[in-house]
Amino acid sequence: MHALMLPHSSHYDEMLLSSGAVRPHYQGFAEWLQAQTPEALSRKREEANQRFHRVGITFSVYGDESGAERLIPFDTIPRIVPAAEWRALEAGMRQRVKALNAFLHDIYHDHAIIKAGIIPAEQVFTNAQYQPAMQGIDLPDQIYAHITGVDIIRHADGQYYVLEDNLRVPSGVSYMLENRKMMMRLFPELFARHAVGVVDQYPALLLSTLRQASRIDNPTVVVLTPGHYNSAYFEHAFLAQQMGVELVEGRDLFVRDDHVYMRTTAGHKQVDVIYRRIDDAFLDPLAFRPDSMLGVPGLLSAYRQGNVILANAIGTGVADDKSIYPYVPEMIRFYLGEEPLLNNVPTWQCRKQEDLQYVLEHLDELVVKEVHGAGGYGMLIGPVASEAEKQLFRDKLAADPAGYIAQPTLCLSSCPTFVEAGIAPRHLDLRPFVLSSGKDITMVPGGLTRVALKAGSLVVNSSQGGGTKDTWVLED
Amino acid sequence: MMLSRTADHLFWMGRYMERAENLARLLEVSHAISLMPRSHNGGAEISAPLALTGRLEDFQSRHDGTEPAQVLHYMAYDLGNPASILSALRSARENAHAVRGKISSDMWMSLNASWLEGRKLAEQGEDFQWFFDWVKERAHLFRGATYSTMRRSDAFYFLRLGTFLERADNTARLLDVKSHLLPDQQSADSTDYYTWSTLLRGLGAFEAYHETYRDTLNGKRVFDLLLLREDMPRSLRACFDEIRQALAQIQGDNGRPARRLATELNAALEFTAMDEVFDEGMHPFLRRMLGEINRLGESIQRAYLEAA
């Protein structure tokens, strides 16, 4: 028997009501859980840890001098999503990603949404992520974001909200796949009792998306990594291997006559599609940061000539920027003529005087984020912040209001999770991965569930001690 | 066809794993010989691994004298010594990490675990003999995982190139150190018996010697076995043959000079008799061989591994 600490009624729990009753889609799991001894489950967790270490599913932490590699803590209680909820999420993400691609094409071509007065021009053109070099370049099927990671949370009202669209180099999909592999290894009997949607086909879908991104018939695809000291290197190597394509570093590639080649033991070979896991700024030292050793000199020129495809395209960052995020519902209406299916989080844009006023007056209730921040760094969580932290942000807001947005403190939903004291509710989010090609938009049923392991914490990022769970989308 | 950088990592992954095993074998031999009753020779014997790996000066700058335990610790566990076993395990693992998509997960897990566990054994200060046996077992395990799971593609052959180039180098160096012990005629001296039997056991060739010659141990035959016998997996001849075969399998025309050199070396040993080696002198012969191995390595480097 396991004593499950009950969730607080102030937020939504994926498995339990605050009375302790189990939600219908968790019934089967709850029965199974109660039939296991704590010792057996603890052995399984130990087995999982050892295996992750052996397989080397680790990440390196920036600033850790020892260069040690850490495991992202893995929790063996899955996050279960009912079939009907997933269908709604899937339709919403499809719509959203379609609109975001249309937006990117528009701002690098005719600027219709700006001319229509829906988004202020300066919000786009003065954005650091906007790449003037992309103006007027025609991409096959007008796809900019081939791979999108959509961060979704569930609020206390039981509704899903999109927190962020990751259109640059979203990571984490390897953990989605490895977590599933691990759960099936540890608890095969659970999969016999539940119809869990299959996610294994993701690398095949990704490869087909990348191949379709090119106008060429049988394109040569590669994965471009910053190298094996990068924190996400495991994922780069994993995806390259699963797709059966070369994993290259910048120094393996060179540009001649506006075509990209890789250096091989049998001479040069032309490269047609690059799934790049390097930020825009590091792609080409001739065009962007001249001190970058990670990129390929001349790559931008080859790209502009249409001789190589980059996935994602250069300059997608402008569309997932926190200052553009508030406009996504408008984009959906403008480009698709549809009402948004997924909720956006209400957002105050501190660049607007009246919004800034409101934010300063309600600092206790709000989350303030840097517009260009990522990874959970540089944000203020009002309800738990100290007076000194709040003062720091008041100063920051006064100095650079346009650099910040604020949102209500969303109560991320929780899910029972193994902690030292037993099983307790911990907050989590969900990142499904959406693949876009000219033909269709596809995704596997599932995603990466990240969980904040500290009691009460809302920060799920692995760089700040977050863990992960397997995500089960049930089939009807 | 594969990336030059990938080939380079595979080549060095093979070399470092082979190096770890050879070091364990070498240290085992030196350790055993230094324990002989006639221990006035023990000091020289235990410092042989330092001289062989070019670390004598560095060791002396850090330690007074050559206590066997200090030498063994420095050569087995010290990560500050790039020529130690643990450093080799780390380098093998680092190279594998950079190409983990190109090797089977069995191979990767075996190398990764060797490094993780090896580091733990070093921290615990595990008994040396036990550690050497463990290193040999890890090498066997990696080899087994490689042979039974890796596709026979260019990646496999670059790995073998690294392995056998390292082994050829090691065998030649090891024999060179012992060449001064070679008597002109059969010796019944018990010290020599101990030296040769320890050497053979260290190289896993003790049983093969007796099966091949059905006679008492003698230095000349030990050299014959480890230089010219093509059926001995650690002999110089067998290493050249493996390198020649691996080069023949790699696609493309880049490697012609390397292939020619490997074929020449293999043929030279095939048609050489021990008497001719002795006429040249064992030490000059082995120095010449080490030079050729070095040349072969450079030519492989130029043909495949350097950025085009």
Side-chain angles (χ1 to χ4, degrees):
Chain A
M1 280 297 286
H2 303 270
L4 272 66
M5 268 177 64
L6 295 184
H8 196 268
S9 61
S10 64
H11 64 264
Y12 187 98
D13 189 86
E14 300 291 337
M15 177 168 166
L16 300 172
L17 302 173
S18 51
S19 66
V22 176
R23 294 186 192 276
H25 64 285
Y26 263 103
Q27 286 293 350
F29 181 80
E31 281 164 26
W32 173 88
L33 183 64
Q34 291 302 350
Q36 313 300 310
T37 66
E39 295 72 34
L41 288 178
S42 141
R43 262 201 312 281
K44 292 284 188 186
R45 288 200 298 283
E46 183 53 31
E47 185 186 332
N49 271 339
Q50 276 179 8
R51 180 133 187 111
F52 277 135
H53 258 302
R54 273 203 157 221
V55 177
I57 304 176
T58 51
F59 74 109
S60 27
V61 180
Y62 290 117
D64 186 338
E65 302 251 321
S66 67
E69 291 181 21
R70 296 196 208 157
L71 289 186
I72 296 183
F74 170 67
D75 186 68
T76 48
I77 298 178
R79 182 241 189 88
I80 306 180
V81 181
E85 285 184 12
W86 176 256
R87 274 194 299 273
L89 283 174
E90 186 174 0
M93 286 187 280
R94 211 181 276 277
Q95 179 193 51
R96 204 170 163 99
V97 169
K98 212 165 155 187
L100 286 164
N101 268 310
F103 169 71
L104 283 161
H105 178 76
D106 184 26
I107 60 163
Y108 289 122
H109 287 81
D110 300 334
H111 314 147
I113 200 164
I114 295 167
K115 289 175 188 157
I118 294 170
I119 301 181
E122 74 271 14
Q123 284 291 86
V124 175
F125 300 127
T126 62
N127 191 305
Q129 294 295 322
Y130 178 79
Q131 297 288 0
M134 291 298 291
Q135 178 64 39
I137 294 184
D138 294 323
L139 298 181
D141 301 310
Q142 305 179 2
I143 303 288
Y144 286 74
H146 305 82
I147 300 108
T148 308
V150 185
D151 286 354
I152 294 172
I153 58 116
R154 198 207 290 263
H155 186 43
D157 58 7
Q159 297 281 314
Y160 288 108
Y161 288 81
V162 173
L163 202 57
E164 198 168 36
D165 308 282
N166 296 282
L167 303 168
R168 299 173 217 189
V169 282
S171 65
V173 79
S174 57
Y175 297 99
M176 169 184 90
L177 297 167
E178 288 292 343
N179 287 352
R180 175 60 55 81
K181 221 192 272 174
M182 182 61 73
M183 283 299 276
M184 294 185 81
R185 185 188 172 96
L186 296 176
F187 310 111
E189 69 275 17
L190 274 174
F191 290 85
R193 300 168 64 140
H194 293 84
V196 180
V198 177
V199 294
D200 292 10
Q201 71 278 29
Y202 180 83
L205 287 177
L206 176 60
L207 179 61
S208 126
T209 302
L210 293 169
R211 291 169 63 92
Q212 284 173 36
S214 171
R215 295 190 179 97
I216 296 175
D217 266 348
N218 190 17
T220 298
V221 177
V222 299
V223 177
L224 175 62
T225 175
H228 67 285
Y229 297 108
N230 183 268
S231 60
Y233 174 76
F234 162 73
E235 178 157 308
H236 308 160
F238 174 86
L239 289 173
Q241 184 181 36
Q242 296 286 308
M243 292 192 289
V245 306
E246 291 290 344
L247 176 69
V248 304
E249 296 180 14
R251 57 192 158 123
D252 297 321
L253 301 179
F254 69 95
V255 175
R256 184 177 295 163
D257 300 330
D258 281 339
H259 286 81
V260 182
Y261 299 89
M262 55 179 163
R263 307 172 208 272
T264 79
T265 53
H268 312 149
K269 186 164 169 37
Q270 194 179 326
V271 172
D272 306 304
V273 180
I274 301 176
Y275 176 31
R276 47 96 167 209
R277 298 293 300 254
I278 293 182
D279 288 337
D280 285 356
F282 298 96
L283 274 179
D284 180 350
L286 298 183
F288 305 109
R289 284 179 61 152
D291 58 336
S292 168
M293 305 293 286
L294 304 174
V296 187
L299 183 58
L300 179 68
S301 174
Y303 182 60
R304 285 176 56 92
Q305 293 299 316
N307 293 330
V308 68
I309 296 294
L310 294 174
N312 291 347
I314 292 175
T316 53
V318 64
D320 71 8
D321 194 271
K322 290 188 182 71
S323 65
I324 295 295
Y325 166 88
Y327 299 105
V328 176
E330 286 305 319
M331 287 178 203
I332 294 171
R333 294 185 190 101
F334 183 75
Y335 295 112
L336 310 180
E338 298 170 5
E339 273 307 300
L341 300 171
L342 278 176
N343 301 308
N344 235 39
V345 181
T347 304
W348 289 273
Q349 301 173 273
C350 300
R351 66 185 181 87
K352 296 183 186 167
Q353 186 52 41
E354 68 272 23
D355 282 19
L356 177 63
Q357 197 58 39
Y358 180 90
V359 171
L360 288 171
E361 282 163 15
H362 297 83
L363 217 49
D364 287 342
E365 310 155 19
L366 301 175
V367 177
V368 183
K369 295 176 180 174
E370 272 179 34
V371 168
H372 304 297
Y377 294 103
M379 69 189 221
L380 175 85
I381 301 176
V384 296
S386 68
E387 187 48 42
E389 286 168 320
K390 276 183 274 195
Q391 189 51 48
L392 178 69
F393 266 76
R394 277 189 206 104
D395 296 343
K396 285 184 173 187
L397 283 167
D400 177 26
Y404 296 87
I405 54 137
Q407 293 171 333
T409 312
L410 291 164
C411 244
L412 272 59
S413 64
S414 67
C415 181
T417 301
F418 281 101
V419 296
E420 252 176 59
I423 301 177
R426 289 292 182 268
H427 296 291
L428 36 73
D429 77 351
L430 173 64
R431 176 182 288 180
F433 294 87
V434 184
L435 300 173
S436 305
S437 71
K439 218 170 62 188
D440 52 8
I441 295 177
T442 53
M443 63 197 91
V444 296
L448 174 65
T449 292
R450 299 183 296 177
V451 55
L453 294 174
K454 271 184 255 163
S457 168
L458 300 173
V459 183
V460 297
N461 306 73
S462 54
S463 52
Q464 302 206 36
T468 66
K469 284 171 174 286
D470 191 12
T471 310
W472 293 3
V473 171
L474 296 184
E475 292 177 349
D476 282 329
Chain B
M1 189 279 300
M2 67 193 326
L3 288 177
S4 298
R5 183 177 54 80
T6 305
D8 188 59
H9 284 303
L10 289 163
F11 177 84
W12 284 102
M13 176 180 87
R15 276 201 90 145
Y16 279 117
M17 201 56 207
E18 180 68 23
R19 188 170 295 178
E21 179 185 354
N22 289 335
L23 280 168
R25 293 182 178 281
L26 169 69
L27 292 172
E28 194 176 25
V29 172
S30 301
H31 184 42
I33 294 181
S34 74
L35 296 177
M36 276 193 307
R38 241 173 49 178
S39 59
H40 63 272
N41 199 24
E45 192 55 49
I46 199 65
S47 55
L50 295 171
L52 213 65
T53 52
R55 305 302 300 173
L56 190 57
E57 230 169 84
D58 181 71
F59 178 82
Q60 283 169 343
S61 75
R62 294 162 187 247
H63 302 276
D64 300 325
T66 44
E67 273 301 304
Q70 284 180 340
V71 175
L72 291 174
H73 183 272
Y74 175 78
M75 288 303 300
Y77 293 142
D78 193 345
L79 282 174
N81 169 16
S84 72
I85 293 179
L86 199 57
S87 291
L89 291 178
R90 178 173 62 183
S91 298
R93 188 261 182 200
E94 283 270 296
N95 278 285
H97 191 222
V99 291
R100 57 178 290 173
K102 290 286 165 187
I103 56 179
S104 68
S105 54
D106 294 41
M107 292 165 69
W108 159 252
M109 284 200 283
S110 137
L111 282 182
N112 193 37
S114 295
W115 158 241
L116 295 174
E117 287 166 27
R119 196 173 45 172
K120 220 177 277 169
L121 294 174
E123 271 166 22
Q124 294 163 6
E126 186 56 68
D127 169 69
F128 291 117
Q129 187 53 54
W130 196 93
F131 181 66
F132 299 147
D133 285 338
W134 176 84
V135 172
K136 285 190 285 180
E137 270 180 30
R138 297 306 300 184
H140 292 321
L141 187 68
F142 173 65
R143 203 160 23 239
T146 303
Y147 275 68
S148 53
T149 60
M150 194 179 193
R151 195 165 72 84
R152 270 32 173 189
S153 62
D154 282 359
F156 179 76
Y157 297 111
F158 279 111
L159 169 56
R160 283 175 75 82
L161 273 185
T163 304
F164 287 101
L165 206 64
E166 178 70 23
R167 189 181 292 177
D169 184 80
N170 178 72
T171 297
R173 276 178 206 279
L174 194 56
L175 292 179
D176 193 28
V177 176
K178 302 293 172 205
S179 60
H180 68 279
L181 294 175
L182 266 185
D184 290 328
Q185 63 282 322
Q186 188 168 326
S187 165
D189 186 296
S190 67
T191 307
D192 283 344
Y193 176 87
Y194 191 72
T195 303
W196 299 129
S197 68
T198 311
L199 180 65
L200 286 172
R201 283 185 215 275
L203 293 172
F206 187 77
E207 295 79 5
Y209 180 95
H210 287 287
E211 200 187 6
T212 308
Y213 302 104
R214 304 194 180 281
D215 200 351
T216 52
L217 290 183
N218 109 7
K220 251 184 184 172
R221 291 202 195 106
V222 170
F223 275 73
D224 177 54
L225 187 72
L226 296 173
L227 278 181
L228 302 184
R229 295 286 305 200
E230 64 173 318
D231 54 1
M232 278 305 296
R234 308 195 79 80
S235 78
L236 202 54
R237 167 81 203 286
C239 293
F240 286 153
D241 197 32
E242 292 280 357
I243 293 169
R244 183 185 61 81
Q245 287 182 39
L247 282 171
Q249 295 288 341
I250 292 169
Q251 294 170 22
D253 293 331
N254 286 7
R256 283 186 185 197
R259 278 155 83 171
R260 186 171 59 235
L261 187 53
T263 309
E264 281 170 9
L265 284 171
N266 186 55
L269 285 198
E270 183 176 359
F271 298 110
T272 295
M274 270 319 271
D275 289 343
E276 295 171 81
V277 177
F278 281 113
D279 286 346
E280 181 178 348
M282 187 53 75
H283 181 64
F285 172 80
L286 286 168
R287 294 314 299 178
R288 186 163 62 82
M289 283 297 127
L290 282 167
E292 296 287 10
I293 292 165
N294 201 23
R295 246 178 5 116
L296 188 54
E298 281 169 5
S299 128
I300 290 168
Q301 182 76 26
R302 262 198 308 278
Y304 302 109
L305 311 180
E306 273 167 15

